[in-house]
Amino acid sequence: MNCADIDIITASYAPEGDEEIHATGFNYQNEDEKVTLSFPSTLQKGTGTLKIDFVGELNDKMKGFYRSKYTTPSGDTRYAAVTQFEATDARRAFPCWDEPAIKATFDISLVVPKDRVALSNMNVTDRKPYPDDENLVEVKFARTPVMSTYLVAFVVGEYDFVETRSSDGVLVRVYTPVGKAEQGKFALEVAAKTLPFYKDYFNVPYPLPKIDLIAIADFAAGAMENWGLVTYRETALLIDPKNSCSSSRQWVALVVGHELAHQWFGNLVTMEWWTHLWLNEGFASWIEYLCVDHCFPEYDIWTQFVSADYTRAQELDALDNSHPIEVNVGHPSEVDEIFDAISYSKGASVIRMLHDYIGDEDFRKGMHLYLTRFQQRNAATEDLWESLEKASGKPIAAVMSTWTKQMGFPLIYVEAVQQEEDKVLKLVQKKFCASGPYSGEDCPLWMVPISICTSDDPSCAKMQVLMDNPELTLVLKDVKPGQWVKLNLGTVGFYRTHYSPDMLESLIPAIQDLSLPPVDRLGLQNDLFSLARAGIISTVDVLKVMEAFVNEPNYTVWSDLSCNLGILSTLLSHTDFYEEIQVFVKDVFSPIGERLGWDPKPGEGHLDALLRGLVLGKLGKAGHKATLEEARRRFKDHIEGKHILSADLRSPVYVTVLKHGDSATLDTMLKLHKQADMQEEKNRIERVLGAISQPELIQKVLTFALSEEVRPQDTVSVIGGVAGSSKQGRRAAWKFVKDNWEELYNRYQGGFLISRLIKLSVDGFAIDKMAAEVKAFFETHPAPSAERTVQQCCENILLNAAWLNRDAESIHQYLLQRKAPPAMV
């Protein structure tokens, strides 16, 4: 059976109604995390009871059964004991058959100090004094349904809670650090609204009597969907009405929606094996948006999906070192590696495309069929396709296998010819590669649901068709010469589009006058940017299009634009005209900055707050004079206690004063960090510290990252912040990671934080020899769970170098002549 870091003292087996037989030997296969028990004679087939007496370790690795450090309100350091078993770490808490398909019921009882809270998947059925020690109690929990080991959980610690009942009668509690019960109310509201929403959506009731959501101090992931006892990082669960910013509220709502979806999809019906992890995560990553849209329609969350998930997945999936959504997984270290943007974000994107292709009603019917057919059992991707096919009558399995079994996605070339009153479109699909046009022999082929709209009605499809050939010719009736045509309405299809020059030309005015919907403006700009990065079009053409966004009101469109300008800035930090691109950024962002101002206006909402933070931060970092002066003034008032900054303005102000600050500024920020009572504020500061520019201060920030002041899981974002802020920071962060590799690697023991750390530290380089250096380092310092990440990073560095060689000169010329006074005639 599976067993890791556990010493077995005795073991025995009693066949039903017979004598117990004692095991005579334990053979540990540590490599495979297994133990074999030997008995004096052959055991007979049949049922019986296996008893094992063992000792394990409450470890510091944030996996298995581990200890989590916290500080009490009076300032004492204490430890809670908590679990994190996904993917393969239940075997660190008790010997078991630790595979998703080997399901069982669990009867759990815990012996704990009597002044501690003890929780598990089910409700408490009994709590009695422990005979051997009056300071202990034995807490017994109800028997669980049939379930997988990775979803078992228990927590022992000091917590307060808030509770409510959802409209369908489920007891919901949110457990918070002592003294912070108030901060659990927002998540409690979301959870209480979400459970009935899913019950209704799936047409299957929530399967357990209660659900607890609990904030854990040291936590590697964002959250974990343990059945009935969902664990979270503090920042993914706690909201303080005064000190939490709008983006934190949104993040908490999404994570709560994600984990609660798993209670059905994942927990009630579980994947057969880790190959199907994507289905679990991709599905929950899609439906969390559906749920937040239901709870908070004012968030315009589906537009944000495109910039947060869809474009991120395309960026990764265009690499030669991507992988298909479905990956064959053998050893446990290979499982950690697939918790990435392909499983989550591409998974969610293809499910969104599928939902759109099937239609909501049939999709829900298919989901209900799937969940009722496989409840308390295991299923594979094909089983879901079959249920959806039955419900919709469409060729789901054939279409979807082109998206899950092969990596990458298509680039669709389109040109239009006017024929009298009609437009004839010619479409060609080729695999999209980050390195330029696909040149291989047999080009993979996708079955692509294509929707097309025209300027007649930009928000409604004029034609929908499934493209299942390399080429396709379509006739759009009654489309006049002056009308534009746009593919991929709503940016739902997982492909990029390359328009002929005149088709593109006709779309630009629709960006300027906003007649194209926001999500389509975003998609158009993002496609162009990645075509430029791949060398298929010139970067200068994209800069010209970016300038057309001067009237843009939408937060998410700005967010995506800002992200792409950030990538370009990082690239040009390798040149001697970095300042010119900062001028461009200031020119693009200052009109919207002036329109928004610093203070909320009456009637503004969630998205205005997000946009103001984004724009001021961008202008401040770029050194926009008025923004910098105002940020400094407000920062001074904030630290003197004259006027506390609103939570939404803190990040932009902090990053601005640090970027243009000195050692006194850094000291002030570190003091604010120390004083912060809330993890959200600590994280907010940790993420921006890297903006400081002086070399010796950069070192100070890096040293701070590994100090006791920073929780182990947050070290990664401090180092990442340094690497992402400047050329000096990038060099220093990479050197720091190399110098402290042993400690960092041991801290995260494989796990996906190590992948994240590597990506954040080296992705911004743009010189061929850096790719070789990174590759060489990891050849001598192997990180099995991050092998693919290392390959992807090296590929990105080479792509950056090629992009720089190809376009730097023309970008420079363009930035110069933009500023030149018009020539005298």
Side-chain angles (χ1 to χ4, degrees):
M1 61 174 69
N2 294 112
C3 167
D5 298 335
I6 278 176
D7 289 324
I8 295 176
I9 297 160
T10 61
S12 67
Y13 174 71
E16 211 163 343
D18 213 342
E19 297 287 288
E20 72 177 316
I21 310 163
H22 287 276
T24 48
F26 317 125
N27 176 19
Y28 298 95
Q29 293 111 292
N30 293 335
E31 254 318 272
D32 294 332
E33 303 181 343
K34 284 180 185 154
V35 65
T36 306
L37 309 182
S38 329
F39 291 87
S41 57
T42 308
L43 300 181
Q44 298 308 305
K45 269 195 184 157
T47 50
T49 307
L50 179 64
K51 279 192 194 150
I52 301 179
D53 187 7
F54 65 90
V55 177
E57 165 191 54
L58 207 52
N59 71 56
D60 281 326
K61 294 176 180 165
M62 295 191 283
K63 58 188 193 177
F65 193 21
Y66 70 93
R67 58 180 205 166
S68 165
K69 187 160 102 177
Y70 63 97
T71 312
T72 63
S74 61
D76 298 340
T77 296
R78 295 207 186 139
Y79 290 93
V82 304
T83 56
Q84 168 60 35
F85 291 166
E86 188 180 26
T88 55
D89 291 315
R91 61 192 67 172
R92 289 172 198 282
F94 51 91
C96 55
W97 285 271
D98 196 10
E99 299 189 4
I102 306 179
K103 287 190 168 187
T105 60
F106 292 85
D107 300 314
I108 291 173
S109 44
L110 301 170
V111 177
V112 303
K114 65 177 184 214
D115 58 354
R116 293 292 192 265
V117 172
L119 301 170
S120 184
N121 305 82
M122 298 297 286
N123 47 304
V124 173
T125 54
D126 192 23
R127 185 185 169 101
K128 56 173 192 277
Y130 187 62
D132 304 351
D133 184 339
E134 62 189 24
N135 295 315
L136 300 178
V137 288
E138 181 169 359
V139 184
K140 222 178 150 124
F141 300 91
R143 171 170 292 184
T144 70
V146 176
M147 63 184 281
S148 303
T149 49
Y150 79 90
L151 294 165
V152 173
F154 23 93
V155 173
V156 185
E158 297 177 286
Y159 298 96
D160 285 345
F161 67 84
V162 284
E163 70 173 18
T164 185
R165 274 194 190 275
S166 67
S167 59
D168 44 3
V170 181
L171 178 65
V172 188
R173 283 184 173 175
V174 174
Y175 283 85
T176 72
V178 174
K180 297 188 176 177
E182 182 67 19
Q183 296 178 13
K185 285 185 173 164
F186 178 75
L188 186 69
E189 271 170 55
V190 177
K193 262 191 185 163
T194 295
L195 286 168
F197 172 73
Y198 285 147
K199 175 192 169 180
D200 181 51
Y201 195 85
F202 298 132
N203 194 7
V204 172
Y206 172 73
L208 305 185
K210 62 95 181 175
I211 187 157
D212 297 323
L213 293 72
I214 185 165
I216 306 288
D218 295 312
F219 199 74
M224 174 61 211
E225 69 268 19
N226 315 304
W227 216 356
L229 175 56
V230 185
T231 47
Y232 293 79
R233 271 190 189 199
E234 288 182 9
T235 47
L237 191 67
L238 305 181
I239 290 294
D240 173 349
K242 282 200 282 293
N243 292 301
S244 287
C245 59
S246 306
S247 60
S248 294
R249 274 168 206 278
Q250 179 175 301
W251 170 238
V252 168
L254 284 167
V255 180
V256 169
H258 179 102
E259 304 309 333
L260 295 190
H262 277 310
Q263 306 301 307
W264 284 263
F265 201 98
N267 301 8
L268 181 63
V269 178
T270 310
M271 63 212 155
E272 186 69 45
W273 179 241
W274 299 108
T275 299
H276 305 280
L277 170 81
W278 84 270
L279 191 61
N280 220 4
E281 295 305 348
F283 183 85
S285 300
W286 167 76
I287 206 167
E288 67 186 61
Y289 284 85
L290 197 69
C291 156
V292 168
D293 194 43
H294 163 79
C295 295
F296 303 100
E298 70 278 14
Y299 285 9
D300 180 29
I301 202 76
W302 279 115
T303 308
Q304 295 192 54
F305 174 89
V306 176
S307 132
D309 283 276
Y310 173 97
T311 56
R312 253 190 72 219
Q314 287 194 338
E315 204 173 303
L316 182 54
D317 206 25
L319 299 178
D320 294 341
N321 286 296
S322 180
H323 62 86
I325 285 180
E326 279 190 55
V327 192
N328 285 323
V329 175
H331 194 270
S333 74
E334 295 169 28
V335 185
D336 282 335
E337 193 169 26
I338 55 175
F339 283 83
D340 66 2
I342 299 293
S343 297
Y344 284 73
S345 300
K346 184 182 181 182
S349 301
V350 301
I351 285 171
R352 173 170 168 257
M353 172 168 74
L354 173 67
H355 173 265
D356 189 67
Y357 172 61
I358 293 178
D360 192 58
E361 196 184 328
D362 285 348
F363 189 86
R364 287 170 69 155
K365 267 191 222 147
M367 290 309 309
H368 173 73
L369 195 65
Y370 172 80
L371 288 169
T372 44
R373 201 173 133 202
F374 292 99
Q375 57 186 330
Q376 299 205 353
R377 293 169 45 212
N378 295 76
T381 302
E382 289 66 38
D383 298 315
L384 178 62
W385 298 162
E386 195 183 321
S387 301
L388 289 169
E389 207 153 288
K390 226 178 215 149
S392 68
K394 290 184 166 164
I396 307 302
V399 171
M400 291 308 286
S401 62
T402 67
W403 297 97
T404 65
K405 292 196 185 311
Q406 51 186 9
M407 73 180 204
F409 59 92
L411 172 61
I412 295 189
Y413 294 86
V414 50
E415 48 188 59
V417 179
Q418 193 72 32
Q419 289 192 346
E420 283 146 24
E421 295 299 285
D422 308 333
K423 265 194 175 46
V424 179
L425 297 189
K426 186 176 177 213
L427 276 54
V428 176
Q429 63 158 304
K430 277 264 167 64
K431 177 178 174 5
F432 178 69
C433 300
S435 54
Y438 180 80
S439 54
E441 280 298 291
D442 309 319
C443 190
L445 188 68
W446 285 267
M447 292 174 84
V448 194
I450 303 248
S451 57
I452 301 170
C453 65
T454 68
S455 42
D456 229 14
D457 185 351
S459 58
C460 186
K462 185 171 173 79
M463 181 183 264
Q464 286 177 302
V465 52
L466 188 66
M467 179 175 187
D468 51 8
N469 281 313
E471 303 195 8
L472 181 65
T473 303
L474 302 168
V475 179
L476 290 180
K477 296 266 175 219
D478 303 321
V479 181
K480 313 275 179 296
Q483 290 184 309
W484 52 256
V485 171
K486 160 114 187 11
L487 259 64
N488 203 3
L489 173 71
T491 317
V492 174
F494 199 73
Y495 58 88
R496 294 205 181 273
T497 309
H498 186 350
Y499 295 97
S500 64
D502 50 335
M503 284 182 84
L504 180 60
E505 199 64 30
S506 67
L507 282 164
I508 305 297
I511 293 178
Q512 283 162 322
D513 66 15
L514 310 178
S515 56
L516 200 59
V519 68
D520 291 289
R521 303 196 290 270
L522 188 164
L524 190 62
Q525 177 267 135
N526 200 289
D527 277 356
L528 288 169
F529 187 78
S530 77
L531 288 170
R533 198 176 171 205
I536 295 172
I537 62 173
S538 142
T539 309
V540 170
D541 292 342
V542 188
L543 291 172
K544 289 177 183 163
V545 172
M546 285 177 166
E547 293 186 87
F549 283 86
V550 51
N551 305 315
E552 183 56 58
N554 184 282
Y555 160 70
T556 314
V557 177
W558 274 115
S559 164
D560 202 66
L561 201 63
S562 157
C563 213
N564 288 339
L565 276 170
I567 293 170
L568 198 56
S569 274
T570 300
L571 184 77
L572 298 180
S573 67
H574 298 272
T575 67
D576 52 9
F577 59 92
Y578 177 67
E579 283 315 308
E580 314 286 340
I581 192 75
Q582 299 317 302
V583 173
F584 183 84
V585 170
K586 286 184 276 196
D587 288 349
V588 170
F589 278 86
S590 47
I592 178 83
E594 273 155 37
R595 284 206 299 277
L596 284 166
W598 278 81
D599 297 302
K601 301 177 180 60
E604 280 189 353
H606 177 77
L607 292 162
D608 301 294
L610 292 181
L611 180 57
R612 178 173 289 110
L614 174 83
V615 172
L616 293 175
K618 202 74 179 169
L619 286 168
K621 264 198 307 208
H624 181 256
K625 202 160 171 280
T627 307
L628 175 56
E629 282 164 11
E630 184 63 12
R632 282 180 172 152
R633 191 181 68 74
R634 290 185 181 233
F635 183 66
K636 187 167 177 289
D637 286 354
H638 177 68
I639 50 180
E640 289 171 1
K642 277 188 210 154
H643 194 282
I644 297 302
L645 279 167
S646 76
D648 283 315
L649 285 177
R650 284 180 206 171
S651 276
V653 167
Y654 292 170
V655 80
T656 301
V657 296
L658 272 163
K659 180 83 182 166
H660 309 280
D662 53 18
S663 63
T665 321
L666 181 59
D667 290 343
T668 306
M669 288 304 296
L670 292 173
K671 199 162 102 205
L672 283 178
H673 181 275
K674 207 176 180 65
Q675 291 164 353
D677 176 41
M678 215 184 159
Q679 201 49 37
E680 177 188 324
E681 175 76 355
K682 285 188 189 292
N683 282 164
R684 194 176 358 253
I685 294 167
E686 286 159 4
R687 279 199 292 271
V688 298
L689 286 174
I692 199 92
S693 325
Q694 296 85 325
E696 67 284 5
L697 299 180
I698 290 175
Q699 277 325 116
K700 190 172 174 179
V701 172
L702 289 168
T703 310
F704 171 76
L706 275 179
S707 71
E708 283 290 302
E709 299 288 314
V710 179
R711 288 195 177 157
Q713 71 264 22
D714 299 320
T715 298
V716 175
S717 49
V718 182
I719 298 173
V722 172
S725 289
S726 63
K727 190 176 180 173
Q728 298 89 315
R730 195 160 47 241
R731 290 197 184 130
W734 168 233
K735 184 175 181 330
F736 185 80
V737 167
K738 287 188 299 189
D739 291 347
N740 295 277
W741 178 251
E742 300 297 299
E743 183 177 345
L744 288 161
Y745 188 69
N746 286 335
R747 179 177 283 203
Y748 305 121
Q749 281 295 304
F752 49 83
L753 282 172
I754 207 81
S755 297
R756 195 162 298 163
L757 174 70
I758 294 169
K759 186 174 167 44
L760 290 170
S761 320
V762 304
D763 238 8
F765 286 113
I767 306 157
D768 287 358
K769 71 167 198 281
M770 277 311 302
E773 184 182 315
V774 171
K775 185 167 178 279
F777 179 79
F778 289 107
E779 276 166 4
T780 53
H781 302 77
S785 66
E787 271 175 33
R788 187 179 278 119
T789 302
V790 171
Q791 291 161 349
Q792 288 163 348
C793 289
C794 293
E795 184 176 347
N796 267 327
I797 295 170
L798 295 173
L799 288 167
N800 287 340
W803 186 15
L804 205 54
N805 288 338
R806 194 174 55 236
D807 278 6
E809 195 38 48
S810 57
I811 296 172
H812 192 190
Q813 287 313 313
Y814 176 71
L815 294 175
L816 289 175
Q817 61 93 39
R818 266 184 85 240
K819 281 286 163 235
M824 298 299 285
V825 181

